[in-house]
Amino acid sequence: MSKIPVIEEDNLSLVWARMFLCLATRSDEELAPLVVSVTGFKDGEAIEDETVRNALDACLEATNRQCVNTVANTIFPQSLWLMTKGDRKAFYATYLENLPSYVDMALSKNRLGLYFARLIAFYTNPKTGERSSYIPPDSEVADGNQLEFIIENCRPKTRRTMFQASIFDPLRDHTRANQLGFPCLQHVSFVPDFAAKTLKLNAFYASQQGLDRAYGNFLGLCRLGAFVAHETGLTFERMTCFAGVEKMDKRPNQNVPEWVALKAAAKNLVDAAKSQTAT
């Protein structure tokens, strides 16, 4: 029985580079499953390598794909959080007020919703901003804000199974369509350690595109974890992502210069990390 690939590093770019090079050299173009874990943070931000991040963004732009930050914003809109200056009620309200506009920015990709919208307004129609007519009468989160429920209840002696949020909704997402595009992220959970005053985040993807989405997803999840940690008075220390299928079936032509440069940047980072470990 083959071992499940597990990649753990204190640098987000290095985690992604190791995963990327593994996928890029496989003829079947996928790993099933894959577990990655990011453990390096500074002032609440994941530690990254600028060369790899810039090379990836250049490749994504050259091949008409969304940049890293755009993907990350679907999970956690960092710029909006900074703009609302730490007022999370204003943060939620501003996001929901503009949700239909966010959907329209990339309607073909966002028509079924956005991840952050499902986290703070599970019952809201992303196209219209209107709430669903069906809301369970005894729900503790009648407004659909799962994050707020977790933040308000994140304290010692609370059952830890409470600290989880769903993205996948069988009523909307069980369909026989060949390709949906959303939601690939199914579920997130938070693990507080009140003795150590730390927080971990776990995420599960049914499938994930290693080139198009993975880096931005990892970054968005790290920012989401840092947000919840900040609001609960904890320190974010780990993001772990489980992908049922990690794939790269839309790789660019091998002669695209930005693709060549990306592979070189990823290899240089991985080789440098190996050299440091050896010494």
Side-chain angles (χ1 to χ4, degrees):
M1 183 180 293
S2 60
K3 292 183 179 180
I4 295 175
V6 178
I7 301 173
E8 178 179 334
E9 298 288 353
D10 62 4
N11 183 304
L12 189 158
S13 303
L14 181 56
V15 163
W16 180 85
R18 287 183 56 193
M19 179 208 73
F20 167 72
L21 292 175
C22 187
L23 285 171
T25 56
R26 290 177 65 94
S27 58
D28 60 359
E29 301 180 320
E30 68 178 40
L31 295 164
L34 172 70
V35 179
V36 305
S37 202
V38 178
T39 61
F41 303 92
K42 183 178 180 181
D43 299 327
E45 282 286 326
I47 296 171
E48 299 181 71
D49 179 87
E50 191 174 301
T51 301
V52 168
R53 169 77 176 268
N54 290 342
L56 174 56
D57 270 333
C59 184
L60 293 171
E61 182 180 1
T63 53
N64 298 312
R65 306 167 200 239
Q66 291 180 321
C67 71
V68 166
N69 204 52
T70 297
V71 174
N73 279 338
T74 64
I75 297 173
F76 187 79
Q78 181 84 343
S79 58
L80 187 59
W81 170 236
L82 295 174
M83 186 186 78
T84 50
K85 298 179 180 180
D87 182 341
R88 71 174 186 264
K89 297 298 176 65
F91 176 42
Y92 300 146
T94 304
Y95 182 87
L96 293 177
E97 182 181 344
N98 292 284
L99 178 58
S101 298
Y102 298 149
V103 171
D104 285 342
M105 287 178 183
L107 187 57
S108 62
K109 297 180 183 294
N110 300 337
R111 60 187 178 82
L112 297 177
L114 293 163
Y115 293 115
F116 192 68
R118 293 259 177 123
L119 289 171
I120 69 165
F122 193 81
Y123 305 115
T124 296
N125 183 318
K127 292 181 183 178
T128 65
E130 297 176 357
R131 294 174 65 188
S132 168
S133 58
Y134 172 72
I135 300 174
D138 57 349
S139 173
E140 290 278 358
V141 284
D143 61 354
N145 193 331
Q146 301 177 85
L147 286 187
E148 187 63 19
F149 179 78
I150 290 166
I151 290 169
E152 288 182 349
N153 290 283
C154 191
R155 53 183 176 266
K157 298 183 180 180
T158 302
R159 61 177 172 84
R160 292 195 290 180
T161 54
M162 188 182 292
F163 309 135
Q164 56 183 313
S166 295
I167 305 294
F168 185 84
D169 179 6
L171 292 176
R172 287 177 281 183
D173 303 325
H174 267 317
T175 169
R176 292 186 175 85
N178 290 332
Q179 188 72 35
L180 278 182
F182 176 92
C184 294
L185 172 61
Q186 309 290 294
H187 187 86
V188 294
S189 68
F190 301 88
V191 185
D193 182 334
F194 296 107
K197 297 184 178 180
T198 59
L199 183 76
K200 302 179 182 71
L201 178 148
N202 303 308
F204 176 81
Y205 281 81
S207 66
Q208 181 173 230
Q209 283 287 350
L211 177 64
D212 295 45
R213 295 282 177 175
Y215 196 116
N217 288 340
F218 298 160
L219 183 60
L221 290 168
C222 286
R223 289 173 172 174
L224 175 63
F227 164 73
V228 173
H230 179 272
E231 295 303 289
T232 53
L234 302 173
T235 298
F236 189 55
E237 70 167 10
R238 181 184 292 270
M239 184 285 292
T240 300
C241 181
F242 178 96
V245 179
E246 188 73 40
K247 57 186 179 178
M248 196 163 64
D249 54 8
K250 298 178 181 179
R251 67 181 69 194
N253 185 291
Q254 297 297 313
N255 297 320
V256 173
E258 291 82 2
W259 171 252
V260 176
L262 175 59
K263 289 193 291 184
K267 186 175 185 305
N268 288 341
L269 180 60
V270 171
D271 288 347
K274 287 180 180 177
S275 297
Q276 280 190 332
T277 303
T279 57

